[in-house]
Amino acid sequence: PIDISRLRQEPPKNYLIDGGDILGVYIEGALGKAEEPPPINLPREGSDLPPSIGFPIVVREDGTLSLPLIPPVPVRGLTMDQVENVLRRAYTVDRKILAPGKDRIIVTLLQPRVVRVVVMRQDSATSALQNSTDPNLRFELSTRSEEVKLRAYENDVLHALAETGGLPGFSAKNEIKILRSSQMS
Protein backbone atom coordinates (compact mmCIF):
# COMPACT_ATOMS: atom_id res chain seq x y z
CA PRO A 1 0.00 0.00 0.00
CA ILE A 2 1.12 3.53 -0.74
CA ASP A 3 -0.09 6.82 0.64
CA ILE A 4 -1.54 8.42 -2.50
CA SER A 5 -0.58 11.90 -1.30
CA ARG A 6 3.04 10.87 -2.03
CA LEU A 7 2.10 10.60 -5.72
CA ARG A 8 1.45 14.35 -5.91
CA GLN A 9 4.02 17.09 -6.23
CA GLU A 10 3.70 20.10 -3.98
CA PRO A 11 3.20 23.24 -6.11
CA PRO A 12 5.31 26.28 -5.24
CA LYS A 13 3.75 29.13 -3.26
CA ASN A 14 3.98 31.39 -6.35
CA TYR A 15 3.69 30.21 -9.95
CA LEU A 16 7.12 30.25 -11.62
CA ILE A 17 7.29 31.12 -15.31
CA ASP A 18 8.88 28.76 -17.84
CA GLY A 19 8.87 28.01 -21.56
CA GLY A 20 5.40 27.30 -22.94
CA ASP A 21 3.50 29.56 -20.53
CA ILE A 22 1.27 32.12 -22.21
CA LEU A 23 1.29 35.46 -20.44
CA GLY A 24 -1.10 38.35 -20.82
CA VAL A 25 1.15 41.40 -21.24
CA TYR A 26 0.11 45.04 -21.49
CA ILE A 27 2.71 47.82 -21.76
CA GLU A 28 0.98 51.13 -22.34
CA GLY A 29 2.63 52.90 -25.26
CA ALA A 30 4.67 49.88 -26.41
CA LEU A 31 2.20 46.97 -26.46
CA GLY A 32 -1.14 48.74 -26.34
CA LYS A 33 -2.30 52.33 -26.89
CA ALA A 34 -2.77 54.76 -24.02
CA GLU A 35 -6.23 55.77 -25.20
CA GLU A 36 -7.50 52.16 -25.37
CA PRO A 37 -8.13 49.87 -22.39
CA PRO A 38 -6.01 46.72 -22.19
CA PRO A 39 -7.61 43.56 -23.60
CA ILE A 40 -9.40 41.33 -21.11
CA ASN A 41 -9.20 37.58 -21.66
CA LEU A 42 -11.91 35.40 -20.16
CA PRO A 43 -10.94 31.78 -19.45
CA ARG A 44 -12.56 28.90 -21.29
CA GLU A 45 -15.67 27.42 -19.75
CA GLY A 46 -14.79 24.95 -17.00
CA SER A 47 -11.35 26.48 -16.41
CA ASP A 48 -10.31 27.41 -12.89
CA LEU A 49 -8.11 30.26 -14.12
CA PRO A 50 -9.19 33.83 -13.36
CA PRO A 51 -9.67 36.37 -16.18
CA SER A 52 -6.40 37.87 -17.41
CA ILE A 53 -5.39 41.21 -18.87
CA GLY A 54 -3.04 41.86 -21.78
CA PHE A 55 -1.97 40.60 -25.17
CA PRO A 56 -1.07 36.90 -25.37
CA ILE A 57 2.70 36.41 -25.42
CA VAL A 58 4.20 32.90 -25.36
CA VAL A 59 7.29 32.33 -23.24
CA ARG A 60 9.84 30.79 -25.59
CA GLU A 61 11.35 27.38 -24.84
CA ASP A 62 14.60 29.13 -23.86
CA GLY A 63 12.63 30.98 -21.13
CA THR A 64 12.58 34.41 -22.80
CA LEU A 65 9.83 36.85 -23.77
CA SER A 66 10.03 38.55 -27.15
CA LEU A 67 8.43 42.01 -26.95
CA PRO A 68 8.45 45.14 -29.13
CA LEU A 69 11.35 47.62 -28.97
CA ILE A 70 13.56 45.60 -26.57
CA PRO A 71 15.75 42.51 -26.90
CA PRO A 72 14.36 39.17 -25.60
CA VAL A 73 13.94 39.24 -21.81
CA PRO A 74 14.83 36.15 -19.69
CA VAL A 75 11.89 35.26 -17.40
CA ARG A 76 12.38 31.55 -16.58
CA GLY A 77 11.92 30.88 -12.87
CA LEU A 78 10.41 34.31 -12.13
CA THR A 79 7.04 35.10 -10.54
CA MET A 80 4.49 37.40 -12.23
CA ASP A 81 5.57 40.34 -10.04
CA GLN A 82 9.21 39.72 -10.89
CA VAL A 83 8.44 39.59 -14.64
CA GLU A 84 6.56 42.88 -14.33
CA ASN A 85 9.57 44.46 -12.58
CA VAL A 86 12.02 43.10 -15.19
CA LEU A 87 9.87 44.54 -17.99
CA ARG A 88 9.54 47.86 -16.17
CA ARG A 89 13.32 48.08 -15.91
CA ALA A 90 13.79 47.08 -19.57
CA TYR A 91 11.37 49.77 -20.81
CA THR A 92 12.26 52.59 -18.38
CA VAL A 93 15.90 52.22 -17.31
CA ASP A 94 17.65 50.06 -19.93
CA ARG A 95 16.00 51.47 -23.09
CA LYS A 96 14.34 54.67 -21.75
CA ILE A 97 11.24 54.06 -23.91
CA LEU A 98 8.79 54.84 -21.10
CA ALA A 99 9.08 57.47 -18.37
CA PRO A 100 9.86 55.96 -14.94
CA GLY A 101 6.88 56.25 -12.60
CA LYS A 102 4.49 56.88 -15.50
CA ASP A 103 4.79 53.41 -16.99
CA ARG A 104 1.76 51.15 -16.95
CA ILE A 105 2.81 47.52 -17.22
CA ILE A 106 0.54 44.56 -16.44
CA VAL A 107 1.54 40.88 -16.55
CA THR A 108 -0.94 38.05 -15.94
CA LEU A 109 -1.01 34.31 -16.57
CA LEU A 110 -3.24 33.66 -19.56
CA GLN A 111 -2.54 29.93 -19.87
CA PRO A 112 -0.09 27.75 -17.94
CA ARG A 113 2.29 25.49 -19.83
CA VAL A 114 1.35 21.86 -20.26
CA VAL A 115 3.46 18.74 -20.03
CA ARG A 116 2.68 15.75 -22.21
CA VAL A 117 2.74 12.53 -20.21
CA VAL A 118 2.30 8.98 -21.50
CA VAL A 119 0.68 6.66 -18.98
CA MET A 120 0.97 2.91 -19.51
CA ARG A 121 -1.41 0.98 -17.33
CA GLN A 122 -2.07 -2.64 -16.55
CA ASP A 123 -5.62 -3.25 -15.38
CA SER A 124 -7.85 -6.28 -14.92
CA ALA A 125 -10.53 -6.78 -17.54
CA THR A 126 -13.43 -5.95 -15.18
CA SER A 127 -13.57 -4.93 -11.57
CA ALA A 128 -16.83 -6.86 -11.09
CA LEU A 129 -14.94 -10.14 -11.56
CA GLN A 130 -12.50 -9.20 -8.79
CA ASN A 131 -15.24 -9.44 -6.17
CA SER A 132 -16.16 -12.98 -7.18
CA THR A 133 -15.42 -15.86 -4.77
CA ASP A 134 -15.13 -18.44 -7.59
CA PRO A 135 -11.62 -20.03 -7.19
CA ASN A 136 -11.62 -21.17 -10.85
CA LEU A 137 -12.01 -17.62 -12.15
CA ARG A 138 -8.96 -16.24 -13.96
CA PHE A 139 -8.33 -12.57 -14.44
CA GLU A 140 -7.32 -11.21 -17.78
CA LEU A 141 -4.90 -8.29 -17.51
CA SER A 142 -4.98 -5.64 -20.17
CA THR A 143 -2.23 -3.15 -20.89
CA ARG A 144 -3.03 0.19 -22.42
CA SER A 145 -1.30 3.49 -22.90
CA GLU A 146 -2.70 6.99 -23.10
CA GLU A 147 -1.16 10.40 -23.57
CA VAL A 148 -2.46 13.18 -21.33
CA LYS A 149 -1.62 16.86 -21.14
CA LEU A 150 -1.14 18.05 -17.57
CA ARG A 151 -0.73 21.66 -16.45
CA ALA A 152 2.47 22.79 -14.79
CA TYR A 153 2.66 21.65 -11.17
CA GLU A 154 -0.03 19.04 -11.88
CA ASN A 155 2.28 16.86 -13.97
CA ASP A 156 2.69 14.19 -11.34
CA VAL A 157 1.71 10.54 -10.91
CA LEU A 158 -1.51 11.29 -9.01
CA HIS A 159 -2.89 13.62 -11.69
CA ALA A 160 -1.77 11.28 -14.51
CA LEU A 161 -3.58 8.35 -12.88
CA ALA A 162 -6.68 10.45 -12.23
CA GLU A 163 -6.83 11.51 -15.88
CA THR A 164 -6.52 7.92 -17.12
CA GLY A 165 -8.98 6.08 -14.91
CA GLY A 166 -7.77 6.26 -11.32
CA LEU A 167 -5.70 3.77 -9.39
CA PRO A 168 -5.14 0.34 -11.02
CA GLY A 169 -7.18 -2.65 -9.84
CA PHE A 170 -6.04 -5.11 -7.20
CA SER A 171 -4.81 -7.66 -9.72
CA ALA A 172 -2.46 -5.21 -11.46
CA LYS A 173 1.25 -5.30 -10.72
CA ASN A 174 2.00 -3.29 -7.57
CA GLU A 175 4.63 -0.90 -8.95
CA ILE A 176 5.04 2.51 -10.54
CA LYS A 177 7.88 3.37 -12.90
CA ILE A 178 8.62 6.92 -13.94
CA LEU A 179 10.69 7.44 -17.08
CA ARG A 180 11.65 10.95 -18.06
CA SER A 181 12.37 11.73 -21.70
CA SER A 182 15.99 12.52 -20.79
CA GLN A 183 16.36 8.97 -19.42
CA MET A 184 14.98 7.32 -22.54
CA SER A 185 17.74 8.29 -24.99
Side-chain angles (χ1 to χ4, degrees), residues 104-131:
R104 192 165 153 215
I105 298 173
I106 301 169
V107 178
T108 58
L109 180 64
L110 185 73
Q111 184 177 324
R113 63 192 174 275
V114 295
V115 178
R116 289 183 16 224
V117 176
V118 176
V119 178
M120 297 185 73
R121 305 176 55 103
Q122 186 180 56
D123 291 310
S124 60
T126 65
S127 59
L129 294 176
Q130 290 177 331
N131 297 328

Side-chain angles (χ1 to χ4, degrees), residues 18-152:
D18 205 345
D21 284 324
I22 302 175
L23 303 180
V25 179
Y26 177 77
I27 304 168
E28 189 174 81
L31 189 61
K33 297 178 183 176
E35 61 274 4
E36 295 178 8
I40 297 173
N41 307 291
L42 298 175
R44 293 183 177 150
E45 191 174 324
S47 173
D48 60 349
L49 292 174
S52 61
I53 297 174
F55 296 95
I57 306 291
V58 177
V59 178
R60 294 177 173 176
E61 289 305 314
D62 67 356
T64 62
L65 278 181
S66 182
L67 296 165
L69 308 174
I70 62 172
V73 179
V75 296
R76 173 174 281 139
L78 301 181
T79 65
M80 295 298 164
D81 289 340
Q82 290 171 328
V83 172
E84 208 169 279
N85 291 333
V86 166
L87 295 181
R88 183 165 284 109
R89 179 177 174 81
Y91 278 95
T92 60
V93 176
D94 298 344
R95 292 291 175 136
K96 297 180 181 21
I97 297 167
L98 303 173
K102 297 193 177 200
D103 54 273
R104 192 165 153 215
I105 298 173
I106 301 169
V107 178
T108 58
L109 180 64
L110 185 73
Q111 184 177 324
R113 63 192 174 275
V114 295
V115 178
R116 289 183 16 224
V117 176
V118 176
V119 178
M120 297 185 73
R121 305 176 55 103
Q122 186 180 56
D123 291 310
S124 60
T126 65
S127 59
L129 294 176
Q130 290 177 331
N131 297 328
S132 173
T133 56
D134 184 350
N136 298 321
L137 191 60
R138 293 185 176 258
F139 294 102
E140 292 286 326
L141 293 180
S142 65
T143 302
R144 64 182 172 97
S145 65
E146 184 177 339
E147 181 180 279
V148 292
K149 293 180 181 178
L150 302 172
R151 293 195 312 195

